[in-house]
Amino acid sequence: MALYESEHTRFIREMMQKHPEWQEDQRRGRAIWWDRKIAAHDEKTRRDAVEPHRPYPYDVNFVPKP
């Protein structure tokens, strides 16, 4: 274990020990947002919809030559 442990880390660890049922809530929340299968067609559509980055986005007067 590390020598330093922040107050936040200690707080979260203590709360998880007091409320073990939160682990299942975490798993369900993760499954909603992160553990999803993405269809190849949807991913291709998303990539095709992305606008290319401009060379220098902070200069509003700069328009790249075609």
Side-chain angles (χ1 to χ4, degrees):
M1 192 154 100
L3 298 175
Y4 172 75
E5 185 174 78
S6 70
E7 288 182 36
H8 182 264
T9 301
R10 279 194 304 269
F11 171 75
I12 294 297
R13 184 173 290 125
E14 290 170 8
M15 292 304 288
M16 292 304 281
Q17 287 174 350
K18 291 178 187 176
H19 302 280
E21 69 275 7
W22 288 1
Q23 276 191 327
E24 183 56 34
D25 289 342
Q26 279 187 319
R27 281 191 205 101
R28 278 187 276 142
R30 179 185 169 108
I32 291 171
W33 296 106
W34 301 107
D35 297 338
R36 299 188 287 173
K37 299 276 188 220
I38 298 176
H41 178 270
D42 293 341
E43 182 64 20
K44 182 182 180 330
T45 302
R46 185 193 64 78
R47 271 197 229 126
D48 291 345
V50 172
E51 184 177 323
H53 289 273
R54 293 172 50 190
Y56 190 70
Y58 304 108
D59 185 0
V60 295
N61 296 317
F62 179 77
V63 179
K65 295 177 181 164

